[in-house]
Amino acid sequence: MVCDKCEKKLGVSVTQDTWKSGSRSTVASDTGKQKLTENKFLTRAKGNRFDPTKSNFKKCRICRVATHHPKANYCQACAYKKSICCMCGKSLMSTKNYKMSST
């Protein structure tokens, strides 16, 4: 569960968008964007590849379990139960009349 503001902080996928008329991959390469038929696996730099063993995953502020994302402050289970954004902790909705369990 991520709020609208933190959704911009999430990483993008290596694969191309399937919707061609308005996707990021339709723009020509003169603006610095990805070409339409470009294979990102072959053309990207080797130095900026994600390595899960080297990145520092934070601990959840509630249950102290490792988070799923390097920038997240809360694990997915706690974010669901409390109905908060897992990155910033902003409340997404009222859970007063809901039974929020992880099972």
Side-chain angles (χ1 to χ4, degrees):
M1 299 177 79
V2 181
C3 65
D4 295 334
K5 186 179 91 175
C6 295
E7 192 172 352
K8 298 173 186 174
K9 298 177 188 176
L10 294 174
V12 294
S13 177
V14 177
T15 59
Q16 292 181 351
D17 294 337
T18 55
W19 181 53
K20 298 297 180 194
S21 63
S23 65
R24 293 183 311 262
S25 56
T26 59
V27 182
S29 64
D30 58 342
T31 60
K33 300 274 184 165
Q34 178 180 344
K35 295 178 188 174
L36 185 60
T37 58
E38 179 183 17
N39 188 345
K40 288 298 286 180
F41 185 74
L42 298 175
T43 58
R44 67 180 175 168
K46 301 251 183 201
N48 63 358
R49 189 173 294 176
F50 176 72
D51 188 10
T53 59
K54 293 182 180 177
S55 61
N56 296 327
F57 289 94
K58 296 180 183 177
K59 301 281 185 186
C60 176
R61 292 182 179 177
I62 298 172
C63 65
R64 304 290 182 224
V65 175
T67 60
H68 70 288
H69 196 272
K71 298 177 184 175
N73 291 317
Y74 301 96
C75 66
Q76 281 298 110
C78 292
Y80 174 75
K81 287 178 195 174
K82 303 279 185 184
S83 182
I84 56 175
C85 173
C86 65
M87 297 180 96
C88 66
K90 177 183 170 186
S91 179
L92 297 177
M93 65 181 214
S94 175
T95 59
K96 183 178 180 181
N97 297 327
Y98 294 99
K99 181 181 178 184
M100 303 295 280
S101 64
S102 61
T103 57

